[in-house]
Amino acid sequence: VKEVEEIGMLLPQVEDCVLNIGKFNGMVSLAAFFPFKSAQAALENINAISEGVVHADLKLFLETNLPIGGKKKATLGVSDAKIGAALQEELGLSIQTGGVVAEILRGVRLHFHSLVKGLTAQAASKAQLGLGHSYSRAKVKFNVNRADNMIIQSIALLDQLDKDINTFSMRVREWYGYHFPELIRIVPDNSTYCRLAQLIGNRKELSEESLEALEEVVMDGAKAQAILEASRSSMGMDISPIDLINIERFSNRVVSLAAYRLELQEYLRSKMSQVAPNLAALIGDVVGARLISHAGSLTNLAKYPASTVQILGAEKALFRALKTRGNTPKYGLIFHSTFIGRAAAKNKGRISRYLANKCTIASRIDAFSELPTCVFGDKLRDQVEERLSFYETGEAPRKNLDVMKEAVIQAGEEAAQIKIKMEKKEKKRRKREKKLASLSTGDDEVEDANGKVEVCTASDFKTTTELHITEVKAVVKKKKKKAADEVVKMEEEALAEENGDTPAKKKKKRKSEAMDVEPEAEEAPETPQTEKKKKKKKKEAE
């Protein structure tokens, strides 16, 4: 920066000078410019700046272009105070943030494409847009709370559904109560009442035939009979068919909402078993999810001390107590746990403090463990149970160190089993992928007798199998023929021994017989039968 009017910089006339390129060039001149080598390098730099860390590229750039030594120290203007403090610590420079720096940098951003040769406004805006997208994508991708977000949203929806279902059920009670007021006294449960309103419709049409359907809904024969009797002697007003249709439709919506609430609760249970299994095992799915939601994430909950977890959700009461110098609250969200409800009035505060301590341990294990396992949660739950019995009976509980040693051994065994299961799954997945890939390319693997794997295409597979079949048939035929020849030979030898013929004599005899047969064979004409035999032999040979 050549010259800056510090006092009048924020005046509207001086601010307009920044917008004028000619006047701005009189104030500022470009000393050095360092473009990023790649989009990856730009992303690394912007991530470092957002975290308040001095990147190696930035450090090198400043060291190259700034006169660090000498009598007159250079002042570096930085728009972000966080990165300014980091630079001051790293390089020992004189840093200035805010005031005139913001105005100068506004002008630099506005006229940047004019200051740098070969850079157009369009290219600069495209580069900024690309970097902005990649930065946002990286932030979303590496968000460690993304699994917790599902729990936070589902517990918020669950609480909202509870309120809505309750409000809608009261509306159904009031609306249908004009027609059948006695039903409210017999069936106090909201969801059952809505299902009955949907089923009964006009009470005058209720008969003995409907008794079985009523029993299915209320799960009680006496109640079903009471409803039937009440419908006969009810003092409710008559209702038109169109009104009944509207009541039935509304009841149907309430029933479907109640069914969806159960599905959502199941989803929350499965999510909690994946994200925070120990916390869920210790304090329950709903209370654990509420703690995570109130803290903002599982990591935030793990960072809280036990005293904060104890009163989490009772901030209003705490600040009121501090203001009026009254008694501070003993519990917040953890009051909904069964342990505090089971404890005696004098022990509620003590058990809530102990439970908050165990919740903190469970949340830290969940947040920083690699493999999700509920072993620690079960052990911590047992400890709370032991502490409860200690307050009631005076039986001394086990030491925390012994319990944790047991849990570590058990968790190690479970982790090993989980790893084996995961490896098996991975193997199966790879095998399936390989099979799918081979099917898509039309290749298949054929294992031969030696155990070697030959790859043949789908078109060649048929011919290969046919060749194998013909080879096997030929081998079987050869073996059969050989066996038959050996049997004949053995019989002939036995006959020869009986007649007193030696092998040499037998050979001579065979030769003479063959010579005698040959001329006869020449003279004998070929019959059609022999021709057929020849053709058959030829085919077999082929």
Short mmCIF file of all heavy atoms in Angstrom, two decimals, residues 96-147:
data_model
loop_
_atom_site.label_atom_id
_atom_site.label_comp_id
_atom_site.label_asym_id
_atom_site.label_seq_id
_atom_site.Cartn_x
_atom_site.Cartn_y
_atom_site.Cartn_z
N GLN A 96 -1.91 -6.22 11.27
CA GLN A 96 -3.01 -5.27 11.44
C GLN A 96 -4.29 -5.90 10.89
O GLN A 96 -4.32 -6.38 9.76
CB GLN A 96 -2.70 -3.96 10.71
CG GLN A 96 -3.71 -2.86 11.01
CD GLN A 96 -3.42 -1.58 10.23
OE1 GLN A 96 -2.31 -1.40 9.73
NE2 GLN A 96 -4.39 -0.71 10.15
N THR A 97 -5.34 -5.93 11.71
CA THR A 97 -6.64 -6.48 11.26
C THR A 97 -7.74 -5.45 11.51
O THR A 97 -7.70 -4.69 12.47
CB THR A 97 -6.99 -7.76 12.03
OG1 THR A 97 -6.95 -7.49 13.43
CG2 THR A 97 -6.05 -8.89 11.71
N GLY A 98 -8.73 -5.42 10.65
CA GLY A 98 -9.86 -4.51 10.81
C GLY A 98 -9.55 -3.10 10.35
O GLY A 98 -8.42 -2.77 9.94
N GLY A 99 -10.55 -2.21 10.40
CA GLY A 99 -10.38 -0.81 10.00
C GLY A 99 -10.12 -0.65 8.53
O GLY A 99 -10.89 -1.10 7.68
N VAL A 100 -8.97 -0.04 8.20
CA VAL A 100 -8.62 0.29 6.82
C VAL A 100 -8.30 -0.97 5.99
O VAL A 100 -8.46 -0.97 4.79
CB VAL A 100 -7.46 1.29 6.82
CG1 VAL A 100 -6.14 0.63 7.16
CG2 VAL A 100 -7.35 1.99 5.48
N VAL A 101 -7.86 -2.04 6.67
CA VAL A 101 -7.46 -3.28 5.97
C VAL A 101 -8.65 -3.86 5.20
O VAL A 101 -8.50 -4.28 4.06
CB VAL A 101 -6.90 -4.31 6.99
CG1 VAL A 101 -6.64 -5.65 6.32
CG2 VAL A 101 -5.63 -3.79 7.63
N ALA A 102 -9.80 -3.87 5.84
CA ALA A 102 -11.01 -4.44 5.21
C ALA A 102 -11.36 -3.69 3.92
O ALA A 102 -11.72 -4.31 2.90
CB ALA A 102 -12.17 -4.37 6.18
N GLU A 103 -11.22 -2.35 3.93
CA GLU A 103 -11.55 -1.52 2.75
C GLU A 103 -10.56 -1.79 1.62
O GLU A 103 -10.94 -1.90 0.45
CB GLU A 103 -11.53 -0.03 3.13
CG GLU A 103 -12.75 0.42 3.90
CD GLU A 103 -14.05 0.25 3.13
OE1 GLU A 103 -14.09 0.58 1.94
OE2 GLU A 103 -15.02 -0.26 3.72
N ILE A 104 -9.28 -1.88 1.96
CA ILE A 104 -8.25 -2.13 0.93
C ILE A 104 -8.46 -3.51 0.30
O ILE A 104 -8.40 -3.66 -0.93
CB ILE A 104 -6.82 -1.99 1.53
CG1 ILE A 104 -6.56 -0.53 1.90
CG2 ILE A 104 -5.77 -2.50 0.56
CD1 ILE A 104 -5.36 -0.31 2.78
N LEU A 105 -8.73 -4.49 1.14
CA LEU A 105 -8.95 -5.85 0.61
C LEU A 105 -10.23 -5.93 -0.23
O LEU A 105 -10.31 -6.72 -1.16
CB LEU A 105 -8.99 -6.87 1.75
CG LEU A 105 -7.62 -7.25 2.32
CD1 LEU A 105 -7.75 -8.05 3.59
CD2 LEU A 105 -6.80 -8.04 1.31
N ARG A 106 -11.20 -5.10 0.10
CA ARG A 106 -12.42 -5.03 -0.72
C ARG A 106 -12.08 -4.56 -2.13
O ARG A 106 -12.53 -5.11 -3.12
CB ARG A 106 -13.42 -4.06 -0.06
CG ARG A 106 -14.79 -4.03 -0.73
CD ARG A 106 -15.81 -3.39 0.19
NE ARG A 106 -15.58 -1.96 0.32
CZ ARG A 106 -16.16 -1.01 -0.42
NH1 ARG A 106 -17.01 -1.35 -1.37
NH2 ARG A 106 -15.91 0.27 -0.23
N GLY A 107 -11.22 -3.55 -2.19
CA GLY A 107 -10.77 -3.03 -3.49
C GLY A 107 -9.92 -4.04 -4.24
O GLY A 107 -10.05 -4.18 -5.46
N VAL A 108 -9.07 -4.78 -3.50
CA VAL A 108 -8.21 -5.81 -4.13
C VAL A 108 -9.09 -6.90 -4.76
O VAL A 108 -8.85 -7.31 -5.89
CB VAL A 108 -7.23 -6.40 -3.09
CG1 VAL A 108 -6.55 -7.65 -3.65
CG2 VAL A 108 -6.19 -5.38 -2.69
N ARG A 109 -10.10 -7.33 -4.02
CA ARG A 109 -11.01 -8.37 -4.53
C ARG A 109 -11.78 -7.89 -5.77
O ARG A 109 -11.99 -8.62 -6.71
CB ARG A 109 -12.00 -8.79 -3.44
CG ARG A 109 -11.47 -9.94 -2.58
CD ARG A 109 -12.60 -10.64 -1.86
NE ARG A 109 -13.19 -9.78 -0.83
CZ ARG A 109 -12.75 -9.71 0.42
NH1 ARG A 109 -11.72 -10.45 0.80
NH2 ARG A 109 -13.33 -8.91 1.30
N LEU A 110 -12.17 -6.61 -5.73
CA LEU A 110 -12.95 -6.03 -6.82
C LEU A 110 -12.13 -5.89 -8.10
O LEU A 110 -12.60 -6.19 -9.19
CB LEU A 110 -13.49 -4.66 -6.37
CG LEU A 110 -14.47 -3.95 -7.31
CD1 LEU A 110 -15.78 -4.72 -7.42
CD2 LEU A 110 -14.74 -2.53 -6.83
N HIS A 111 -10.88 -5.44 -7.97
CA HIS A 111 -10.02 -5.16 -9.14
C HIS A 111 -8.93 -6.22 -9.33
O HIS A 111 -7.94 -5.96 -10.01
CB HIS A 111 -9.36 -3.78 -8.98
CG HIS A 111 -10.33 -2.68 -8.72
ND1 HIS A 111 -11.33 -2.34 -9.61
CD2 HIS A 111 -10.47 -1.85 -7.65
CE1 HIS A 111 -12.04 -1.35 -9.10
NE2 HIS A 111 -11.54 -1.02 -7.92
N PHE A 112 -9.11 -7.40 -8.77
CA PHE A 112 -8.04 -8.42 -8.79
C PHE A 112 -7.69 -8.85 -10.21
O PHE A 112 -6.52 -8.99 -10.56
CB PHE A 112 -8.49 -9.64 -7.97
CG PHE A 112 -7.41 -10.65 -7.74
CD1 PHE A 112 -6.27 -10.31 -7.03
CD2 PHE A 112 -7.50 -11.94 -8.24
CE1 PHE A 112 -5.26 -11.24 -6.82
CE2 PHE A 112 -6.50 -12.87 -8.04
CZ PHE A 112 -5.38 -12.51 -7.32
N HIS A 113 -8.70 -9.03 -11.06
CA HIS A 113 -8.44 -9.47 -12.45
C HIS A 113 -7.72 -8.38 -13.25
O HIS A 113 -7.05 -8.67 -14.24
CB HIS A 113 -9.76 -9.87 -13.14
CG HIS A 113 -10.78 -8.78 -13.15
ND1 HIS A 113 -11.61 -8.54 -12.07
CD2 HIS A 113 -11.12 -7.86 -14.10
CE1 HIS A 113 -12.42 -7.54 -12.36
NE2 HIS A 113 -12.13 -7.10 -13.59
N SER A 114 -7.83 -7.10 -12.82
CA SER A 114 -7.13 -6.00 -13.50
C SER A 114 -5.68 -5.93 -13.04
O SER A 114 -4.77 -5.59 -13.80
CB SER A 114 -7.81 -4.66 -13.21
OG SER A 114 -9.18 -4.74 -13.55
N LEU A 115 -5.45 -6.25 -11.78
CA LEU A 115 -4.09 -6.18 -11.20
C LEU A 115 -3.21 -7.31 -11.74
O LEU A 115 -2.03 -7.12 -11.99
CB LEU A 115 -4.15 -6.26 -9.67
CG LEU A 115 -4.84 -5.08 -8.95
CD1 LEU A 115 -5.08 -5.44 -7.50
CD2 LEU A 115 -3.98 -3.82 -9.02
N VAL A 116 -3.77 -8.51 -11.92
CA VAL A 116 -2.99 -9.67 -12.39
C VAL A 116 -3.15 -9.80 -13.90
O VAL A 116 -4.27 -9.85 -14.41
CB VAL A 116 -3.48 -10.97 -11.70
CG1 VAL A 116 -2.72 -12.18 -12.21
CG2 VAL A 116 -3.32 -10.85 -10.19
N LYS A 117 -2.03 -9.85 -14.61
CA LYS A 117 -2.06 -9.94 -16.07
C LYS A 117 -2.47 -11.36 -16.49
O LYS A 117 -2.03 -12.34 -15.92
CB LYS A 117 -0.68 -9.61 -16.65
CG LYS A 117 -0.37 -8.12 -16.61
CD LYS A 117 1.03 -7.84 -17.12
CE LYS A 117 1.37 -6.37 -17.00
NZ LYS A 117 2.75 -6.10 -17.42
N GLY A 118 -3.31 -11.42 -17.50
CA GLY A 118 -3.72 -12.72 -18.05
C GLY A 118 -4.89 -13.37 -17.32
O GLY A 118 -5.29 -14.49 -17.66
N LEU A 119 -5.43 -12.67 -16.32
CA LEU A 119 -6.57 -13.21 -15.59
C LEU A 119 -7.82 -12.41 -15.91
O LEU A 119 -7.82 -11.19 -15.81
CB LEU A 119 -6.29 -13.16 -14.07
CG LEU A 119 -7.36 -13.76 -13.16
CD1 LEU A 119 -7.37 -15.27 -13.24
CD2 LEU A 119 -7.15 -13.34 -11.71
N THR A 120 -8.88 -13.10 -16.30
CA THR A 120 -10.14 -12.42 -16.62
C THR A 120 -11.11 -12.55 -15.44
O THR A 120 -10.97 -13.47 -14.62
CB THR A 120 -10.79 -13.02 -17.87
OG1 THR A 120 -11.04 -14.41 -17.63
CG2 THR A 120 -9.91 -12.86 -19.09
N ALA A 121 -12.09 -11.66 -15.40
CA ALA A 121 -13.09 -11.69 -14.31
C ALA A 121 -13.88 -12.99 -14.35
O ALA A 121 -14.21 -13.56 -13.30
CB ALA A 121 -14.03 -10.50 -14.45
N GLN A 122 -14.15 -13.50 -15.56
CA GLN A 122 -14.92 -14.74 -15.72
C GLN A 122 -14.15 -15.95 -15.18
O GLN A 122 -14.70 -16.78 -14.46
CB GLN A 122 -15.24 -14.94 -17.20
CG GLN A 122 -16.35 -15.96 -17.44
CD GLN A 122 -16.68 -16.14 -18.91
OE1 GLN A 122 -16.06 -15.51 -19.77
NE2 GLN A 122 -17.63 -17.00 -19.21
N ALA A 123 -12.85 -16.01 -15.50
CA ALA A 123 -12.00 -17.12 -15.04
C ALA A 123 -11.89 -17.10 -13.51
O ALA A 123 -11.95 -18.15 -12.85
CB ALA A 123 -10.62 -17.03 -15.66
N ALA A 124 -11.76 -15.89 -12.93
CA ALA A 124 -11.64 -15.74 -11.47
C ALA A 124 -12.92 -16.20 -10.78
O ALA A 124 -12.87 -16.92 -9.77
CB ALA A 124 -11.34 -14.29 -11.11
N SER A 125 -14.07 -15.80 -11.34
CA SER A 125 -15.36 -16.18 -10.73
C SER A 125 -15.59 -17.69 -10.82
O SER A 125 -16.11 -18.32 -9.90
CB SER A 125 -16.52 -15.43 -11.38
OG SER A 125 -16.67 -15.85 -12.73
N LYS A 126 -15.16 -18.31 -11.95
CA LYS A 126 -15.29 -19.76 -12.12
C LYS A 126 -14.44 -20.51 -11.10
O LYS A 126 -14.86 -21.50 -10.51
CB LYS A 126 -14.87 -20.17 -13.54
CG LYS A 126 -15.99 -20.05 -14.55
CD LYS A 126 -15.55 -20.58 -15.89
CE LYS A 126 -16.66 -20.45 -16.95
NZ LYS A 126 -16.20 -20.90 -18.26
N ALA A 127 -13.20 -20.00 -10.92
CA ALA A 127 -12.28 -20.61 -9.95
C ALA A 127 -12.83 -20.52 -8.54
O ALA A 127 -12.77 -21.48 -7.76
CB ALA A 127 -10.91 -19.93 -10.03
N GLN A 128 -13.41 -19.35 -8.21
CA GLN A 128 -14.00 -19.15 -6.87
C GLN A 128 -15.18 -20.09 -6.65
O GLN A 128 -15.32 -20.68 -5.58
CB GLN A 128 -14.48 -17.70 -6.74
CG GLN A 128 -13.35 -16.71 -6.50
CD GLN A 128 -13.83 -15.26 -6.53
OE1 GLN A 128 -14.99 -15.00 -6.80
NE2 GLN A 128 -12.92 -14.35 -6.27
N LEU A 129 -16.00 -20.24 -7.68
CA LEU A 129 -17.17 -21.11 -7.58
C LEU A 129 -16.75 -22.57 -7.37
O LEU A 129 -17.31 -23.26 -6.52
CB LEU A 129 -18.02 -20.98 -8.85
CG LEU A 129 -19.35 -21.73 -8.86
CD1 LEU A 129 -20.34 -21.14 -7.87
CD2 LEU A 129 -19.96 -21.73 -10.26
N GLY A 130 -15.76 -23.00 -8.14
CA GLY A 130 -15.25 -24.38 -8.02
C GLY A 130 -14.68 -24.66 -6.65
O GLY A 130 -14.96 -25.70 -6.04
N LEU A 131 -13.91 -23.69 -6.15
CA LEU A 131 -13.30 -23.84 -4.82
C LEU A 131 -14.38 -23.85 -3.73
O LEU A 131 -14.30 -24.62 -2.77
CB LEU A 131 -12.30 -22.71 -4.57
CG LEU A 131 -11.56 -22.74 -3.23
CD1 LEU A 131 -10.79 -24.03 -3.04
CD2 LEU A 131 -10.60 -21.56 -3.09
N GLY A 132 -15.38 -22.98 -3.90
CA GLY A 132 -16.49 -22.92 -2.93
C GLY A 132 -17.23 -24.24 -2.84
O GLY A 132 -17.51 -24.73 -1.74
N HIS A 133 -17.48 -24.87 -4.01
CA HIS A 133 -18.18 -26.15 -4.04
C HIS A 133 -17.35 -27.25 -3.38
O HIS A 133 -17.87 -28.04 -2.60
CB HIS A 133 -18.50 -26.54 -5.48
CG HIS A 133 -19.69 -25.83 -6.03
ND1 HIS A 133 -20.08 -25.95 -7.35
CD2 HIS A 133 -20.57 -24.98 -5.46
CE1 HIS A 133 -21.15 -25.22 -7.56
NE2 HIS A 133 -21.47 -24.62 -6.42
N SER A 134 -16.06 -27.31 -3.72
CA SER A 134 -15.20 -28.37 -3.17
C SER A 134 -15.02 -28.20 -1.66
O SER A 134 -14.98 -29.18 -0.92
CB SER A 134 -13.84 -28.39 -3.87
OG SER A 134 -13.21 -27.13 -3.74
N TYR A 135 -14.96 -26.93 -1.20
CA TYR A 135 -14.81 -26.65 0.24
C TYR A 135 -16.07 -27.11 1.00
O TYR A 135 -15.97 -27.78 2.04
CB TYR A 135 -14.59 -25.15 0.44
CG TYR A 135 -14.54 -24.70 1.90
CD1 TYR A 135 -13.49 -25.09 2.72
CD2 TYR A 135 -15.55 -23.91 2.44
CE1 TYR A 135 -13.45 -24.69 4.04
CE2 TYR A 135 -15.51 -23.50 3.76
CZ TYR A 135 -14.46 -23.90 4.56
OH TYR A 135 -14.41 -23.51 5.88
N SER A 136 -17.24 -26.77 0.44
CA SER A 136 -18.52 -27.17 1.08
C SER A 136 -18.66 -28.69 1.10
O SER A 136 -19.09 -29.27 2.09
CB SER A 136 -19.70 -26.58 0.32
OG SER A 136 -19.57 -25.18 0.24
N ARG A 137 -18.26 -29.34 -0.02
CA ARG A 137 -18.35 -30.79 -0.12
C ARG A 137 -17.46 -31.46 0.92
O ARG A 137 -17.85 -32.43 1.57
CB ARG A 137 -17.94 -31.23 -1.52
CG ARG A 137 -18.50 -32.59 -1.92
CD ARG A 137 -18.11 -32.98 -3.32
NE ARG A 137 -18.65 -32.11 -4.33
CZ ARG A 137 -17.93 -31.34 -5.16
NH1 ARG A 137 -16.61 -31.33 -5.07
NH2 ARG A 137 -18.50 -30.58 -6.05
N ALA A 138 -16.25 -30.93 1.08
CA ALA A 138 -15.30 -31.48 2.05
C ALA A 138 -15.83 -31.32 3.47
O ALA A 138 -15.70 -32.22 4.30
CB ALA A 138 -13.95 -30.79 1.92
N LYS A 139 -16.45 -30.18 3.74
CA LYS A 139 -17.00 -29.91 5.09
C LYS A 139 -18.12 -30.89 5.41
O LYS A 139 -18.22 -31.39 6.52
CB LYS A 139 -17.52 -28.47 5.19
CG LYS A 139 -16.43 -27.45 5.45
CD LYS A 139 -15.95 -27.53 6.88
CE LYS A 139 -14.76 -26.61 7.12
NZ LYS A 139 -14.09 -26.90 8.39
N VAL A 140 -18.97 -31.16 4.42
CA VAL A 140 -20.09 -32.09 4.63
C VAL A 140 -19.57 -33.51 4.77
O VAL A 140 -20.02 -34.27 5.61
CB VAL A 140 -21.11 -31.99 3.46
CG1 VAL A 140 -22.16 -33.07 3.55
CG2 VAL A 140 -21.77 -30.62 3.46
N LYS A 141 -18.58 -33.85 3.93
CA LYS A 141 -18.03 -35.21 3.91
C LYS A 141 -17.34 -35.56 5.22
O LYS A 141 -17.48 -36.66 5.73
CB LYS A 141 -17.02 -35.31 2.75
CG LYS A 141 -16.60 -36.73 2.44
CD LYS A 141 -15.66 -36.73 1.26
CE LYS A 141 -15.15 -38.11 0.96
NZ LYS A 141 -14.17 -38.12 -0.12
N PHE A 142 -16.59 -34.62 5.78
CA PHE A 142 -15.83 -34.88 7.00
C PHE A 142 -16.54 -34.38 8.26
O PHE A 142 -15.91 -34.11 9.26
CB PHE A 142 -14.43 -34.27 6.90
CG PHE A 142 -13.62 -34.87 5.78
CD1 PHE A 142 -13.27 -34.13 4.66
CD2 PHE A 142 -13.22 -36.19 5.84
CE1 PHE A 142 -12.54 -34.69 3.62
CE2 PHE A 142 -12.49 -36.75 4.81
CZ PHE A 142 -12.14 -36.01 3.70
N ASN A 143 -17.86 -34.25 8.18
CA ASN A 143 -18.62 -33.84 9.36
C ASN A 143 -18.76 -35.04 10.28
O ASN A 143 -19.42 -36.02 9.96
CB ASN A 143 -20.00 -33.33 8.93
CG ASN A 143 -20.82 -32.84 10.09
OD1 ASN A 143 -20.33 -32.72 11.21
ND2 ASN A 143 -22.08 -32.56 9.84
N VAL A 144 -18.11 -34.99 11.43
CA VAL A 144 -18.09 -36.14 12.35
C VAL A 144 -19.43 -36.35 13.04
O VAL A 144 -19.69 -37.41 13.58
CB VAL A 144 -16.98 -35.99 13.42
CG1 VAL A 144 -15.61 -36.11 12.82
CG2 VAL A 144 -17.11 -34.68 14.19
N ASN A 145 -20.29 -35.33 12.98
CA ASN A 145 -21.59 -35.43 13.66
C ASN A 145 -22.69 -35.94 12.75
O ASN A 145 -23.85 -35.90 13.12
CB ASN A 145 -22.00 -34.05 14.22
CG ASN A 145 -20.92 -33.44 15.08
OD1 ASN A 145 -20.19 -34.15 15.75
ND2 ASN A 145 -20.81 -32.13 15.05
N ARG A 146 -22.34 -36.39 11.52
CA ARG A 146 -23.40 -36.73 10.56
C ARG A 146 -24.25 -37.92 11.02
O ARG A 146 -25.41 -37.98 10.69
CB ARG A 146 -22.81 -36.96 9.17
CG ARG A 146 -21.87 -38.11 9.01
CD ARG A 146 -21.35 -38.12 7.58
NE ARG A 146 -20.48 -39.24 7.34
CZ ARG A 146 -19.18 -39.25 7.59
NH1 ARG A 146 -18.60 -38.20 8.12
NH2 ARG A 146 -18.45 -40.31 7.35
N ALA A 147 -23.68 -38.86 11.79
CA ALA A 147 -24.48 -39.99 12.31
C ALA A 147 -25.36 -39.51 13.45
O ALA A 147 -26.49 -39.99 13.63
CB ALA A 147 -23.56 -41.10 12.77
#
